[in-house]
Amino acid sequence: MERTILQLAAACGADRTLAPADVAQAVAPPESWQRALPQVRRSAVALAEAGRLLIYRKGKVIDPAELRGVYRVGLPRDD
């Protein structure tokens, strides 16, 4: 799951973010991708804690420990 998140985020580039549903749809069958969302969340948090990914809410970076509700993920930026 982590590899897929990083691959999809790299394909988007550092200037864009990725929805968790996009990751889930990439790894799960079309009829059951929603079941993959909890694993996407756990993997995104682990990657963010390791400094390899950023988690966004309303366009702002948040602490992975504060993750609640709707979020997006993206690569760290060099600015």
Side-chain angles (χ1 to χ4, degrees):
M1 185 67 70
E2 291 179 3
R3 184 174 5 168
T4 301
I5 293 171
L6 291 173
Q7 288 172 342
L8 292 173
C12 286
D15 295 335
R16 304 210 53 199
T17 59
L18 181 66
D22 295 332
V23 178
Q25 289 169 356
V27 298
E31 65 278 355
S32 63
W33 64 267
Q34 294 94 341
R35 290 188 210 141
L37 288 171
Q39 180 59 41
V40 172
R41 180 181 291 259
R42 285 190 296 274
S43 295
V45 167
L47 287 167
E49 288 173 342
R52 299 178 68 196
L53 191 73
L54 297 175
I55 298 177
Y56 294 86
R57 184 182 320 132
K58 296 184 180 181
K60 297 182 180 174
V61 177
I62 63 166
D63 182 331
E66 301 294 319
L67 180 57
R68 305 281 185 278
V70 177
Y71 69 101
R72 293 181 69 85
V73 298
L75 295 176
R77 297 179 184 155
D78 292 331
D79 34 289

Coordinates of all heavy atoms in Angstrom, one line a residue:
M1 N 0.8 -1.2 0.0 CA 0.0 0.0 0.0 C 0.9 1.3 0.0 O 0.6 2.2 -0.7 CB -0.9 0.0 1.2 CG -1.9 1.1 1.2 SD -3.2 1.1 0.0 CE -4.1 -0.3 0.5
E2 N 1.9 1.3 0.8 CA 2.8 2.4 0.9 C 3.5 2.7 -0.4 O 3.6 3.9 -0.8 CB 3.8 2.3 2.0 CG 3.2 2.3 3.4 CD 4.1 2.1 4.6 OE1 5.4 2.0 4.3 OE2 3.7 2.1 5.7
R3 N 3.9 1.7 -1.1 CA 4.6 1.8 -2.4 C 3.6 2.4 -3.4 O 4.0 3.3 -4.1 CB 5.1 0.5 -2.9 CG 5.8 0.6 -4.2 CD 6.5 -0.7 -4.6 NE 6.1 -1.8 -3.7 CZ 6.3 -3.1 -4.0 NH1 6.9 -3.4 -5.1 NH2 5.9 -4.0 -3.2
T4 N 2.3 2.0 -3.4 CA 1.3 2.5 -4.3 C 1.1 4.0 -4.0 O 1.0 4.8 -4.9 CB 0.0 1.7 -4.2 OG1 0.3 0.4 -4.5 CG2 -1.0 2.3 -5.2
I5 N 1.0 4.3 -2.7 CA 0.7 5.8 -2.4 C 1.9 6.6 -2.9 O 1.7 7.7 -3.5 CB 0.6 5.9 -0.9 CG1 -0.7 5.3 -0.4 CG2 0.6 7.4 -0.5 CD1 -0.8 5.2 1.1
L6 N 3.1 6.2 -2.7 CA 4.3 7.0 -3.1 C 4.4 7.0 -4.6 O 4.7 8.1 -5.2 CB 5.6 6.4 -2.5 CG 5.7 6.5 -1.0 CD1 6.9 5.8 -0.5 CD2 5.8 8.0 -0.6
Q7 N 4.0 5.9 -5.3 CA 4.1 6.0 -6.8 C 3.0 6.9 -7.4 O 3.3 7.7 -8.3 CB 3.8 4.6 -7.4 CG 5.0 3.6 -7.2 CD 4.6 2.2 -7.6 OE1 3.5 1.8 -7.7 NE2 5.7 1.4 -7.8
L8 N 1.8 6.9 -6.8 CA 0.7 7.8 -7.3 C 1.0 9.2 -7.0 O 0.8 10.1 -7.8 CB -0.6 7.3 -6.7 CG -1.2 6.0 -7.3 CD1 -2.4 5.6 -6.5 CD2 -1.4 6.1 -8.7
A9 N 1.6 9.5 -5.8 CA 2.0 10.8 -5.4 C 3.1 11.3 -6.3 O 3.0 12.5 -6.7 CB 2.4 10.9 -3.9
A10 N 4.0 10.5 -6.6 CA 5.1 10.9 -7.5 C 4.6 11.2 -8.9 O 5.0 12.2 -9.6 CB 6.2 9.8 -7.6
A11 N 3.6 10.5 -9.4 CA 3.0 10.7 -10.7 C 2.2 12.0 -10.7 O 2.2 12.7 -11.7 CB 2.0 9.6 -11.1
C12 N 1.7 12.4 -9.6 CA 1.0 13.7 -9.4 C 2.0 14.9 -9.4 O 1.6 16.0 -9.8 CB 0.1 13.8 -8.2 SG -1.4 12.8 -8.3
G13 N 3.1 14.6 -8.8 CA 4.1 15.7 -8.7 C 4.0 16.3 -7.3 O 3.0 16.2 -6.6
A14 N 5.0 17.1 -6.9 CA 5.0 17.8 -5.6 C 4.0 18.9 -5.5 O 3.7 19.4 -4.4 CB 6.4 18.2 -5.3
D15 N 3.5 19.4 -6.6 CA 2.6 20.5 -6.6 C 1.1 20.1 -6.5 O 0.3 21.0 -6.4 CB 2.8 21.4 -7.9 CG 4.1 22.0 -7.9 OD1 4.7 22.2 -6.9 OD2 4.6 22.3 -9.0
R16 N 0.8 18.9 -6.6 CA -0.6 18.4 -6.5 C -0.7 17.4 -5.4 O 0.2 16.8 -4.9 CB -0.9 17.7 -7.8 CG -0.7 18.7 -9.0 CD -1.5 18.6 -10.1 NE -2.9 18.6 -9.8 CZ -3.8 18.2 -10.7 NH1 -3.5 17.7 -11.8 NH2 -5.1 18.2 -10.3
T17 N -2.0 17.2 -5.0 CA -2.3 16.2 -3.9 C -3.1 15.1 -4.5 O -3.7 15.2 -5.6 CB -3.0 16.9 -2.7 OG1 -4.2 17.5 -3.2 CG2 -2.1 17.9 -2.1
L18 N -3.2 14.1 -3.7 CA -3.9 12.8 -4.1 C -5.0 12.5 -3.1 O -4.8 12.6 -1.9 CB -2.8 11.7 -4.1 CG -3.2 10.4 -4.6 CD1 -3.6 10.3 -6.0 CD2 -2.0 9.5 -4.3
A19 N -6.1 12.1 -3.6 CA -7.2 11.7 -2.7 C -7.0 10.2 -2.3 O -6.6 9.4 -3.1 CB -8.6 11.8 -3.4
P20 N -7.4 9.9 -1.1 CA -7.3 8.5 -0.6 C -8.1 7.5 -1.5 O -7.7 6.4 -1.7 CB -7.8 8.5 0.8 CG -7.7 9.9 1.2 CD -7.8 10.8 0.0
A21 N -9.2 8.0 -2.0 CA -10.0 7.1 -2.9 C -9.2 6.7 -4.2 O -9.4 5.6 -4.6 CB -11.3 7.8 -3.3
D22 N -8.4 7.6 -4.7 CA -7.6 7.3 -5.9 C -6.6 6.1 -5.6 O -6.5 5.2 -6.4 CB -6.8 8.5 -6.3 CG -7.7 9.6 -6.8 OD1 -8.8 9.4 -7.3 OD2 -7.2 10.8 -6.7
V23 N -6.1 6.1 -4.4 CA -5.2 5.0 -4.0 C -6.0 3.7 -3.8 O -5.6 2.7 -4.3 CB -4.4 5.4 -2.7 CG1 -3.5 4.2 -2.2 CG2 -3.6 6.7 -2.8
A24 N -7.1 3.8 -3.1 CA -7.9 2.6 -2.9 C -8.4 2.0 -4.2 O -8.4 0.8 -4.4 CB -9.1 3.0 -2.0
Q25 N -8.8 2.9 -5.1 CA -9.2 2.4 -6.4 C -8.1 1.7 -7.2 O -8.4 0.8 -8.0 CB -9.9 3.5 -7.2 CG -11.2 3.9 -6.6 CD -11.8 5.2 -7.2 OE1 -11.2 5.8 -8.0 NE2 -13.0 5.5 -6.7
A26 N -6.9 2.2 -7.0 CA -5.7 1.6 -7.7 C -5.4 0.2 -7.2 O -4.8 -0.6 -7.9 CB -4.5 2.5 -7.6
V27 N -5.7 -0.1 -5.9 CA -5.3 -1.4 -5.4 C -6.4 -2.4 -5.1 O -6.1 -3.6 -4.9 CB -4.5 -1.2 -4.0 CG1 -3.3 -0.4 -4.2 CG2 -5.4 -0.6 -3.0
A28 N -7.6 -2.0 -5.2 CA -8.7 -2.9 -4.9 C -9.7 -3.0 -6.1 O -9.7 -2.2 -7.0 CB -9.5 -2.3 -3.7
P29 N -10.4 -4.1 -6.1 CA -11.4 -4.3 -7.2 C -12.4 -3.2 -7.2 O -12.7 -2.6 -6.1 CB -12.1 -5.6 -6.8 CG -11.2 -6.3 -5.9 CD -10.4 -5.2 -5.2
P30 N -13.0 -2.9 -8.4 CA -13.9 -1.8 -8.5 C -15.1 -1.8 -7.5 O -15.6 -0.8 -7.1 CB -14.4 -1.8 -9.9 CG -13.3 -2.6 -10.7 CD -12.7 -3.5 -9.7
E31 N -15.6 -3.0 -7.2 CA -16.8 -3.1 -6.4 C -16.5 -3.1 -4.9 O -17.4 -2.9 -4.1 CB -17.5 -4.5 -6.7 CG -16.7 -5.7 -6.4 CD -15.7 -6.1 -7.4 OE1 -15.6 -5.5 -8.5 OE2 -15.0 -7.1 -7.1
S32 N -15.2 -3.0 -4.5 CA -14.9 -3.1 -3.1 C -13.8 -2.1 -2.7 O -13.1 -2.3 -1.6 CB -14.6 -4.5 -2.6 OG -13.5 -5.0 -3.3
W33 N -13.5 -1.1 -3.5 CA -12.4 -0.2 -3.1 C -12.6 0.5 -1.8 O -11.6 0.8 -1.1 CB -12.1 0.8 -4.3 CG -13.2 1.7 -4.6 CD1 -14.2 1.6 -5.5 CD2 -13.4 3.0 -3.9 NE1 -15.0 2.7 -5.5 CE2 -14.5 3.6 -4.5 CE3 -12.7 3.7 -2.9 CZ2 -15.0 4.8 -4.1 CZ3 -13.2 4.9 -2.5 CH2 -14.4 5.5 -3.1
Q34 N -13.8 0.7 -1.4 CA -14.1 1.5 -0.2 C -13.5 0.7 1.0 O -13.1 1.3 2.0 CB -15.6 1.7 0.1 CG -16.2 2.6 -0.9 CD -16.8 1.9 -2.1 OE1 -16.5 0.7 -2.4 NE2 -17.7 2.6 -2.8
R35 N -13.4 -0.6 1.0 CA -12.9 -1.4 2.1 C -11.4 -1.2 2.2 O -10.9 -1.5 3.3 CB -13.2 -2.9 1.8 CG -14.6 -3.2 2.0 CD -14.9 -4.7 1.9 NE -16.2 -5.0 1.4 CZ -16.5 -5.9 0.5 NH1 -15.6 -6.8 0.1 NH2 -17.7 -6.0 0.0
A36 N -10.7 -0.7 1.2 CA -9.3 -0.4 1.3 C -9.0 0.9 2.0 O -7.8 1.1 2.3 CB -8.7 -0.5 -0.1
L37 N -9.9 1.8 2.1 CA -9.7 3.1 2.7 C -9.0 3.1 4.1 O -8.1 3.9 4.3 CB -11.0 3.9 2.7 CG -11.4 4.4 1.3 CD1 -12.8 5.0 1.3 CD2 -10.4 5.3 0.7
P38 N -9.4 2.3 5.0 CA -8.7 2.3 6.3 C -7.2 1.9 6.2 O -6.4 2.5 6.9 CB -9.5 1.2 7.1 CG -10.8 1.2 6.5 CD -10.6 1.4 5.0
Q39 N -6.9 1.0 5.3 CA -5.5 0.7 5.1 C -4.7 1.8 4.4 O -3.6 2.1 4.8 CB -5.3 -0.6 4.3 CG -3.9 -1.0 4.0 CD -3.1 -1.2 5.3 OE1 -3.6 -1.8 6.3 NE2 -1.9 -0.8 5.4
V40 N -5.4 2.5 3.5 CA -4.8 3.7 2.9 C -4.5 4.7 4.0 O -3.4 5.3 4.0 CB -5.7 4.3 1.8 CG1 -5.2 5.7 1.3 CG2 -5.9 3.4 0.7
R41 N -5.4 5.0 4.9 CA -5.2 5.9 6.0 C -4.1 5.5 6.9 O -3.2 6.3 7.2 CB -6.5 6.1 6.8 CG -6.4 7.0 7.9 CD -7.7 7.1 8.8 NE -8.8 7.7 8.0 CZ -9.2 9.0 8.2 NH1 -8.6 9.8 9.0 NH2 -10.1 9.5 7.4
R42 N -4.0 4.3 7.3 CA -2.9 3.8 8.1 C -1.6 4.0 7.4 O -0.6 4.4 8.0 CB -3.1 2.3 8.5 CG -4.2 2.2 9.6 CD -4.2 0.8 10.1 NE -4.6 -0.3 9.1 CZ -5.8 -0.6 8.8 NH1 -6.9 0.0 9.4 NH2 -6.1 -1.5 7.9
S43 N -1.5 3.6 6.2 CA -0.3 3.7 5.4 C 0.1 5.2 5.2 O 1.3 5.5 5.3 CB -0.4 3.0 4.1 OG -0.6 1.6 4.2
A44 N -0.8 6.0 4.9 CA -0.5 7.5 4.8 C 0.0 8.1 6.1 O 1.0 8.8 6.1 CB -1.8 8.2 4.3
V45 N -0.6 7.7 7.2 CA -0.1 8.2 8.5 C 1.4 7.7 8.7 O 2.2 8.4 9.1 CB -1.0 7.7 9.6 CG1 -0.4 8.0 11.0 CG2 -2.3 8.5 9.5
A46 N 1.6 6.4 8.4 CA 3.0 5.9 8.7 C 4.0 6.6 7.8 O 5.1 6.9 8.2 CB 3.0 4.4 8.4
L47 N 3.6 6.8 6.5 CA 4.5 7.5 5.6 C 4.7 9.0 6.1 O 5.9 9.5 6.0 CB 4.0 7.5 4.2 CG 4.1 6.2 3.5 CD1 3.2 6.2 2.2 CD2 5.5 5.9 3.1
A48 N 3.7 9.6 6.6 CA 3.8 11.0 7.0 C 4.7 11.0 8.3 O 5.5 12.0 8.4 CB 2.4 11.6 7.3
E49 N 4.5 10.1 9.2 CA 5.3 10.0 10.4 C 6.8 9.8 10.1 O 7.7 10.3 10.8 CB 4.8 9.0 11.3 CG 3.5 9.4 12.0 CD 2.9 8.3 12.8 OE1 3.3 7.1 12.7 OE2 2.0 8.6 13.6
A50 N 7.1 9.1 8.9 CA 8.4 8.9 8.5 C 9.0 10.0 7.7 O 10.2 10.0 7.3 CB 8.5 7.6 7.7
G51 N 8.2 11.0 7.4 CA 8.6 12.2 6.7 C 8.7 12.0 5.2 O 9.2 12.8 4.5
R52 N 8.0 11.0 4.7 CA 8.0 10.7 3.2 C 6.8 11.2 2.5 O 6.7 11.2 1.3 CB 8.2 9.2 3.0 CG 9.5 8.6 3.6 CD 9.6 7.2 3.5 NE 9.8 6.8 2.1 CZ 9.6 5.6 1.6 NH1 9.3 4.6 2.4 NH2 9.8 5.4 0.3
L53 N 5.8 11.7 3.3 CA 4.6 12.1 2.7 C 4.0 13.2 3.6 O 4.3 13.3 4.8 CB 3.6 10.9 2.7 CG 2.3 11.0 1.9 CD1 2.6 11.0 0.4 CD2 1.4 9.9 2.3
L54 N 3.2 14.1 3.0 CA 2.5 15.1 3.8 C 1.0 14.8 3.8 O 0.5 14.4 2.7 CB 2.7 16.5 3.3 CG 4.2 17.0 3.3 CD1 4.3 18.3 2.6 CD2 4.7 17.1 4.7
I55 N 0.3 15.1 4.8 CA -1.2 15.0 4.9 C -1.8 16.4 4.9 O -1.3 17.2 5.7 CB -1.6 14.1 6.1 CG1 -1.0 12.7 6.0 CG2 -3.1 14.1 6.2 CD1 -1.3 11.8 7.1
Y56 N -2.7 16.6 4.1 CA -3.4 17.9 4.0 C -4.8 17.8 4.4 O -5.5 16.8 4.1 CB -3.3 18.4 2.5 CG -1.9 18.7 2.0 CD1 -1.1 17.7 1.5 CD2 -1.4 20.0 2.1 CE1 0.1 17.9 1.0 CE2 -0.1 20.2 1.6 CZ 0.6 19.2 1.1 OH 1.9 19.5 0.6
R57 N -5.3 18.9 5.0 CA -6.7 19.1 5.2 C -7.0 20.5 4.9 O -6.3 21.4 5.4 CB -7.1 18.8 6.7 CG -8.6 18.9 6.8 CD -9.2 18.7 8.2 NE -8.6 17.7 9.0 CZ -8.1 17.8 10.2 NH1 -8.3 19.0 10.8 NH2 -7.6 16.9 10.8
K58 N -7.9 20.8 4.0 CA -8.3 22.1 3.5 C -7.1 22.8 3.0 O -6.9 24.0 3.2 CB -9.0 22.9 4.6 CG -10.3 22.3 5.0 CD -11.0 23.2 6.0 CE -12.3 22.5 6.4 NZ -13.1 23.3 7.4
G59 N -6.2 22.1 2.3 CA -5.0 22.7 1.7 C -3.8 23.0 2.6 O -2.8 23.5 2.1
K60 N -4.0 22.7 3.8 CA -2.9 22.9 4.8 C -2.3 21.6 5.4 O -3.1 20.7 5.6 CB -3.4 23.8 6.0 CG -3.8 25.2 5.5 CD -4.2 26.0 6.6 CE -4.7 27.4 6.0 NZ -5.2 28.3 7.0
V61 N -1.0 21.6 5.5 CA -0.4 20.4 6.1 C -0.8 20.2 7.6 O -0.8 21.2 8.3 CB 1.2 20.5 6.0 CG1 1.8 19.3 6.7 CG2 1.6 20.7 4.6
I62 N -1.1 19.0 7.9 CA -1.5 18.7 9.3 C -0.6 17.6 9.9 O 0.1 16.9 9.1 CB -3.0 18.2 9.4 CG1 -3.2 16.9 8.7 CG2 -3.9 19.3 8.9 CD1 -4.5 16.2 9.0
D63 N -0.6 17.6 11.2 CA 0.2 16.6 11.9 C -0.6 15.2 11.7 O -1.8 15.2 11.9 CB 0.2 16.9 13.4 CG 1.0 16.0 14.2 OD1 1.1 14.8 13.9 OD2 1.5 16.4 15.3
P64 N 0.1 14.2 11.3 CA -0.5 12.9 11.1 C -1.3 12.4 12.4 O -2.4 11.7 12.2 CB 0.6 11.9 10.8 CG 1.8 12.7 10.7 CD 1.6 14.1 11.1
A65 N -0.9 12.8 13.6 CA -1.6 12.4 14.8 C -3.0 13.1 14.9 O -3.8 12.7 15.6 CB -0.8 12.7 16.0
E66 N -3.1 14.2 14.1 CA -4.4 15.0 14.2 C -5.3 14.6 13.0 O -6.3 15.3 12.8 CB -4.0 16.5 14.1 CG -3.1 17.0 15.2 CD -3.8 17.0 16.5 OE1 -5.0 17.3 16.6 OE2 -3.1 16.6 17.5
L67 N -5.0 13.6 12.3 CA -5.8 13.2 11.1 C -7.2 12.8 11.6 O -7.4 11.8 12.3 CB -5.2 12.1 10.4 CG -5.9 11.6 9.1 CD1 -6.1 12.7 8.2 CD2 -5.1 10.5 8.5
R68 N -8.2 13.6 11.1 CA -9.6 13.3 11.3 C -10.4 13.7 10.0 O -10.0 14.7 9.4 CB -10.2 14.2 12.4 CG -9.5 14.0 13.8 CD -9.9 12.8 14.5 NE -9.3 12.7 15.9 CZ -8.1 12.3 16.1 NH1 -7.3 12.0 15.2 NH2 -7.7 12.3 17.4
G69 N -11.3 12.9 9.6 CA -12.2 13.3 8.5 C -11.5 13.3 7.1 O -10.6 12.5 6.9
V70 N -11.9 14.2 6.3 CA -11.4 14.3 4.9 C -10.0 14.8 4.9 O -9.6 15.7 5.6 CB -12.3 15.3 4.1 CG1 -11.8 15.4 2.7 CG2 -13.8 14.8 4.1
Y71 N -9.2 14.1 4.0 CA -7.8 14.5 3.9 C -7.3 14.2 2.5 O -8.0 13.5 1.7 CB -6.9 13.8 4.9 CG -6.8 12.3 4.7 CD1 -5.7 11.8 4.1 CD2 -7.8 11.4 5.0 CE1 -5.5 10.4 3.8 CE2 -7.7 10.1 4.8 CZ -6.6 9.5 4.2 OH -6.4 8.2 4.0
R72 N -6.1 14.7 2.1 CA -5.4 14.4 0.9 C -4.0 14.2 1.2 O -3.5 14.6 2.3 CB -5.6 15.5 -0.1 CG -7.1 15.7 -0.6 CD -7.2 16.8 -1.6 NE -6.6 16.5 -2.9 CZ -7.2 15.8 -3.9 NH1 -8.4 15.3 -3.7 NH2 -6.5 15.6 -5.0
V73 N -3.2 13.6 0.3 CA -1.8 13.4 0.6 C -1.0 13.9 -0.6 O -1.5 14.1 -1.7 CB -1.5 11.8 0.8 CG1 -2.2 11.3 2.0 CG2 -1.9 11.1 -0.4
G74 N 0.3 14.2 -0.2 CA 1.2 14.7 -1.3 C 2.6 14.6 -0.8 O 2.9 14.3 0.3
L75 N 3.5 14.7 -1.8 CA 4.9 14.6 -1.5 C 5.4 15.9 -0.8 O 4.8 17.0 -1.0 CB 5.7 14.4 -2.8 CG 5.4 13.1 -3.5 CD1 6.2 13.1 -4.9 CD2 5.8 11.9 -2.7
P76 N 6.4 15.8 0.0 CA 7.0 17.0 0.6 C 7.6 17.9 -0.5 O 8.0 17.4 -1.6 CB 8.2 16.4 1.4 CG 7.9 15.0 1.7 CD 7.1 14.6 0.5
R77 N 7.4 19.2 -0.3 CA 7.8 20.2 -1.3 C 9.2 20.8 -0.9 O 9.5 20.8 0.3 CB 6.8 21.3 -1.4 CG 5.5 20.8 -1.9 CD 4.5 21.9 -1.9 NE 3.2 21.3 -2.3 CZ 2.0 21.9 -2.1 NH1 2.0 23.0 -1.4 NH2 0.9 21.3 -2.4
D78 N 9.9 21.3 -1.9 CA 11.2 21.9 -1.6 C 11.2 23.4 -1.5 O 12.1 24.0 -2.0 CB 12.2 21.5 -2.8 CG 12.5 20.0 -2.8 OD1 12.5 19.4 -1.7 OD2 12.8 19.4 -3.8
D79 N 10.1 24.0 -1.0 CA 10.1 25.4 -0.9 C 10.2 25.9 0.5 O 10.5 25.6 1.4 CB 8.8 26.0 -1.4 CG 7.5 25.2 -1.2 OD1 7.4 24.2 -1.9 OD2 6.6 25.6 -0.5

